[in-house]
Amino acid sequence: MASDSGDRNPTLKKCLAVLREARNDSEQFAALLLVTKAVRAGEVDAKTRRQIFDAIGFTFPNRLLTSRQPPAGCPEHTFRALGLTLLACFCTDPELAGHSQILNKIPTFNDILVSPCNPDSTSMIDDVYQCLSAVMATARGPRELVTKGTVSALCQAYVNCSYGSDRALTLLLGLLAIAEAKCWQRDTPHLLAVLSKLSDDFLKAEDMTKFELCEVLPRFIPLSPPLAQDSQGSECLHKLYKGLANILGSKLGQSQRDPALKLAACLVQACGSEWIPAGSAGSKFLALLVNLACVEVRLTLEEPDPLEVEGKKEVVTACYVLIEMGIQECLREEKPLLEEVQKMQLMRIMEEAFGAVIFYLRQVKQEELQDPFIFASVRILGAWMAEETSSLKQEICELLPFLVHYAKKLFKEGSPAASLPQPELVSTEGSGVPQDALRFLLPGFCHLTAEDRPRDILISEGAPALLSEYFLYQWEVLTSKPGSLTPLTNTEMSLQTACGIFLNLVVTAPDLIRQDKTFLFLMDMLLKSLPLLLPQKDHLVLAANIATLGLMMARILASSAALQGTQSAKEFFGAAICFLSQAHTAQADPGRDSLAVAVSPAYASAWADISELWFLGMQALAGCVPLFPWLPQAVLQARWLEGLSELLARIAPASVDFELIAAFQGVLVELARASKPCRDVILSHHGREWANLYGMAALEQCLSEQ
């Protein structure tokens, strides 16, 4: 067995003995010079390194770092250099690298990096980088480096092209990979300076450096703060656009094209299409980008070789991001980047790419379902299904059983992960935590449940039960913060879209609502949800969805026990009446002396999203009145009839359109027929007169009957 380095090097062994027994600094210093010489020559193994540490500990290196008096005839930083060499030696032991005595030297390391570098001090900088690299590899290290200012020091070292700047960049990449948000939060100006240098180099490079920078740059493009809002950031984006336009406009091999597509996808994630300038050049570039992404997807997925797909997952996932931008830009009407002809061409090209995605997903095996690339493929298909409802219908119908099964599997296995924010570009690295696939499929399912064949497939695959469980789960996420509803946009959007799917089923498949116990469970949930939701601010669109869905389901499930005058039923209908009754008000009619009907201020901002739901809700409430004998009493308690009578008496009839008159009349007629107290209230508030005035013939006739 080989002996340790101390045995092989008698001088080193002797120096260690001197270090242990030294009576004064000069003896210790002489021995230390020989030790550091051996350390620098790489003659020290782990055992000897530990012997050195046991001999001197941290005390002596600490003294060397703070000493300002060098030995006679030596450079002024001699002691400091020796101290750093010893610390660099100790840091090769992971246990020592995470020691507080090393971590508290981080500011010293930073100072050395940003100080002017003399030719004879390069070894100090090498030692500092060795220490910082070792610290970063420890559990506490990255956090300590970020909080103690190392990001700023590394940025300055790189921007100033100081000695070892390539190592500064490597360390920065490592820190950004571990703690990107914290780094940008603390050191935005310095990181922007690095991005500025990198983007400048990227634009100017004419050799392979350009493609190497494509791999480095994504780490320096933050999701927050938005680059486009900063003048320096905007300048960087413009340089990156020009550099990418140069690359992608040239004939490239795969090894050159893939990094460029990944960089473009990273920019799309951070800035959408804001980094692409308006005008002819920008629109051509955008079309080229999406076109290249579609070609890449087709080449990889149309005839999938498992090994080839495995190696291409990262770049295909980046292509999905570019294609999703293509979908959004083809739908954009305000200040579009693309011309109509370009939009039509891209939609055709994207349709072919989605054909390849569907083909690939049909080959997926059960054991592959946890692969994040499958999730990314389902997600992008969901984006297409949400917007493009006419193409690939046959293929999508055939894939629906897989999509429902996949979404169900992820939801059942990973509900705790389902509500977590999803990265826009799903990484193919790591363990692949189950994610919320349903969120991305809901808009497409909403379109499909309006059509017979896909709706039948979704029903037969158990989608209603899954969606009902998902609705309950997302509702619990929304209401998880005590005392208020949390403003989680994704959660709320998912709930609204699920309501849209259920509304489609209520209208097109009422027998399913009657027969499937899932809907009794859902009805019970809606009864409890609306009274809690309606008083909250900023949730009116979701409240409108729940109120309307609940009223329409109540007509079908009128005989169920939950609706037989129970407390929860009365509270739900009370909240629904509140929602419907407060939507309109009287306001001054510009240019006239009279008042006109108007949407209430509290409803105005959401009216475009909820007006159709309000009219459906009025229709559904009218249908509920004859089914629930206790309902007219709830209307009377809300004093809606008095409020509506007063409104109609104050406003000019010409200001009320026919659809609104019909909605009011539908509810009023049913109330007058079902309840003498309601009829009496309407009559006592001049109901006959305003019924005649507004042309409500059915109400007028009803009020005239004895």
Side-chain angles (χ1 to χ4, degrees):
M1 194 170 177
S3 60
D4 65 43
S5 58
D7 293 335
R8 291 196 313 270
N9 191 332
T11 309
L12 184 58
K13 192 173 180 182
K14 185 179 176 185
C15 291
L16 286 171
V18 172
L19 276 172
R20 290 189 197 99
E21 297 160 14
R23 286 160 300 185
N24 55 52
D25 282 358
S26 59
E27 284 184 15
Q28 205 166 33
F29 177 66
L32 204 54
L33 278 174
L34 290 170
V35 169
T36 50
K37 187 177 178 184
V39 167
R40 284 176 181 160
E43 295 173 6
V44 176
D45 63 10
K47 185 178 176 183
T48 311
R49 182 172 57 241
R50 197 73 202 198
Q51 287 174 342
I52 297 170
F53 177 73
D54 291 341
I56 62 172
F58 285 113
T59 310
F60 199 68
N62 289 349
R63 281 173 58 200
L64 290 170
L65 286 175
T66 54
S67 177
R68 295 285 176 245
Q69 284 294 334
C74 294
E76 62 175 310
H77 58 260
T78 301
F79 282 143
R80 201 176 221 202
L82 286 172
L84 286 169
T85 299
L86 288 168
L87 291 181
C89 170
F90 296 161
C91 278
T92 55
D93 181 334
E95 195 181 322
L96 294 178
H99 195 286
S100 59
Q101 286 283 354
I102 296 287
L103 299 179
N104 66 25
K105 303 295 183 300
I106 291 173
T108 303
F109 300 153
N110 298 341
D111 289 344
I112 291 165
L113 288 185
V114 298
S115 300
C117 175
N118 303 318
D120 58 349
S121 64
T122 55
S123 65
M124 283 173 58
I125 293 169
D126 287 332
D127 288 334
V128 164
Y129 280 123
Q130 187 172 326
C131 291
L132 292 175
S133 299
V135 167
M136 196 168 81
T138 66
R140 281 176 60 198
R143 185 174 68 248
E144 294 286 331
L145 292 172
V146 172
T147 55
K148 288 185 162 78
T150 302
V151 173
S152 161
L154 292 170
C155 288
Q156 290 175 64
Y158 182 73
V159 170
N160 296 333
C161 301
S162 305
Y163 173 77
S165 60
D166 54 333
R167 295 177 74 179
L169 185 62
T170 303
L171 280 166
L172 278 173
L173 289 168
L175 284 172
L176 286 167
I178 296 166
E180 180 181 341
K182 285 259 169 58
C183 291
W184 278 98
Q185 206 177 333
R186 291 179 60 92
D187 292 293
T188 299
H190 293 107
L191 287 165
L192 273 177
V194 173
L195 177 59
S196 183
K197 175 173 165 47
L198 289 170
S199 53
D200 206 38
D201 293 346
F202 178 64
L203 180 57
K204 291 174 183 172
E206 297 291 342
D207 54 11
M208 285 305 293
T209 309
K210 208 176 193 78
F211 301 102
E212 289 162 10
L213 285 168
C214 281
E215 304 272 15
V216 171
L217 276 159
R219 278 281 170 220
F220 288 91
I221 297 165
L223 294 175
S224 177
L227 280 176
Q229 291 180 12
D230 175 273
S231 59
Q232 190 179 8
S234 296
E235 194 179 323
C236 293
L237 290 174
H238 187 63
K239 288 175 185 172
L240 294 174
Y241 155 72
K242 288 176 77 172
L244 277 170
N246 292 342
I247 289 178
L248 295 172
S250 310
K251 198 168 182 180
L252 300 172
Q254 181 184 311
S255 62
Q256 297 164 321
R257 184 175 58 248
D258 288 1
L261 289 172
K262 285 193 268 189
L263 174 57
C266 187
L267 289 165
V268 169
Q269 279 187 278
C271 312
S273 60
E274 283 184 68
W275 59 286
I276 301 172
S280 173
S283 69
K284 282 179 185 171
F285 173 75
L286 194 151
L288 172 66
L289 204 52
V290 178
N291 206 328
L292 287 170
C294 290
V295 169
E296 191 65 47
V297 168
R298 288 188 64 189
L299 285 172
T300 308
L301 302 183
E302 274 183 348
E303 294 179 20
D305 173 310
L307 283 173
E308 190 182 325
V309 172
E310 194 60 41
K312 299 281 285 181
K313 283 178 178 177
E314 202 176 329
V315 72
V316 173
T317 305
C319 290
Y320 288 164
V321 174
L322 300 174
I323 292 170
E324 186 166 1
M325 175 188 66
I327 296 170
Q328 291 162 356
E329 289 304 321
C330 285
L331 295 168
R332 184 165 149 187
E333 293 175 3
E334 195 178 327
K335 296 183 180 175
L337 284 173
L338 297 169
E339 296 171 7
E340 286 306 313
V341 177
Q342 289 173 313
K343 288 181 180 181
M344 289 169 65
Q345 288 170 340
L346 278 185
M347 289 302 280
R348 279 199 302 274
I349 293 162
M350 287 192 290
E351 184 175 333
E352 291 170 353
F354 281 106
V357 173
I358 292 169
F359 177 78
Y360 172 74
L361 288 173
R362 291 187 68 184
Q363 322 298 315
V364 170
K365 297 180 179 68
Q366 183 71 21
E367 59 270 20
E368 297 174 316
L369 292 182
Q370 291 291 352
D371 185 347
F373 181 67
I374 307 299
F375 181 87
S377 302
V378 169
R379 181 193 183 287
I380 189 65
L381 182 61
W384 176 257
M385 288 162 57
E387 306 299 348
E388 180 47 65
T389 56
S390 60
S391 75
L392 300 170
K393 194 163 288 181
Q394 172 72 19
E395 292 85 346
I396 285 169
C397 281
E398 289 169 3
L399 190 66
L400 280 178
F402 166 79
L403 293 176
V404 174
H405 171 71
Y406 177 73
K408 186 186 294 183
K409 182 176 173 63
L410 288 201
F411 177 62
K412 299 281 189 187
E413 291 179 3
S415 293
S419 65
L420 298 175
Q422 302 299 335
E424 294 308 301
L425 175 57
V426 179
S427 169
T428 58
E429 303 294 321
S431 60
V433 178
Q435 292 171 303
D436 186 3
L438 259 178
R439 171 158 79 91
F440 300 109
L441 291 170
L442 286 177
F445 284 180
C446 195
H447 293 311
L448 293 170
T449 47
E451 300 177 35
D452 294 343
R453 184 170 173 238
R455 180 175 61 250
D456 291 345
I457 296 170
L458 287 167
I459 291 169
S460 68
E461 294 297 328
L466 172 63
L467 290 170
S468 189
E469 285 182 58
Y470 182 75
F471 187 95
L472 172 62
Y473 175 75
Q474 292 291 11
W475 174 257
E476 287 173 350
V477 170
L478 189 73
T479 55
S480 58
K481 192 176 174 185
S484 70
L485 294 172
T486 54
L488 298 173
T489 310
N490 288 338
T491 300
E492 195 155 351
M493 282 303 300
S494 293
L495 287 165
Q496 288 172 28
T497 313
C499 285
I501 295 171
F502 291 131
L503 279 170
N504 283 344
L505 294 174
V506 167
V507 172
T508 59
D511 287 343
L512 175 74
I513 311 301
R514 287 188 195 94
Q515 294 159 12
D516 191 330
K517 289 183 179 176
T518 291
F519 293 95
L520 287 173
F521 168 76
L522 179 62
M523 185 77 241
D524 192 51
M525 208 178 351
L526 297 174
L527 294 180
K528 292 168 182 168
S529 302
L530 187 64
L532 177 64
L533 184 66
L534 197 64
Q536 304 282 343
K537 291 180 180 178
D538 306 320
H539 295 282
L540 189 60
V541 177
L542 181 56
N545 275 276
I546 289 177
T548 305
L549 176 61
L551 290 168
M552 291 183 75
M553 283 179 61
R555 284 192 308 184
I556 298 171
L557 300 173
S559 60
S560 70
L563 290 164
Q564 304 310 306
T566 59
Q567 186 65 25
S568 62
K570 287 181 177 178
E571 286 176 0
F572 169 82
F573 274 94
I577 290 163
C578 179
F579 163 68
L580 295 169
S581 65
Q582 294 178 4
H584 294 89
T585 188
Q587 71 173 29
D589 192 353
R592 298 184 182 179
D593 295 335
S594 58
L595 293 173
V597 73
V599 174
S600 298
Y603 288 59
S605 62
W607 192 245
D609 295 315
I610 66 171
S611 61
E612 193 177 337
L613 290 165
W614 185 87
F615 283 105
L616 271 175
M618 289 289 283
Q619 210 175 13
L621 180 65
C624 287
V625 170
L627 300 174
F628 302 106
W630 49 268
L631 187 50
Q633 184 58 34
V635 175
L636 289 171
Q637 283 176 346
R639 299 189 62 79
W640 186 11
L641 295 175
E642 292 89 339
L644 182 55
S645 300
E646 186 185 338
L647 176 68
L648 294 172
R650 290 175 68 205
I651 58 177
S655 72
V656 190
D657 64 37
F658 175 76
E659 192 182 10
L660 187 55
I661 290 169
F664 287 145
Q665 179 175 234
V667 173
L668 290 166
V669 165
E670 293 299 341
L671 287 168
R673 281 181 184 153
S675 163
K676 185 176 182 302
C678 286
R679 188 170 180 272
D680 291 345
V681 169
I682 296 168
L683 284 168
S684 69
H685 285 78
H686 312 290
R688 278 202 189 94
E689 289 88 331
W690 48 253
N692 177 269
L693 200 60
Y694 287 92
M696 296 183 185
L699 179 61
E700 204 174 353
Q701 184 182 345
C702 178
L703 294 174
S704 300
E705 294 167 359
Q706 293 302 317

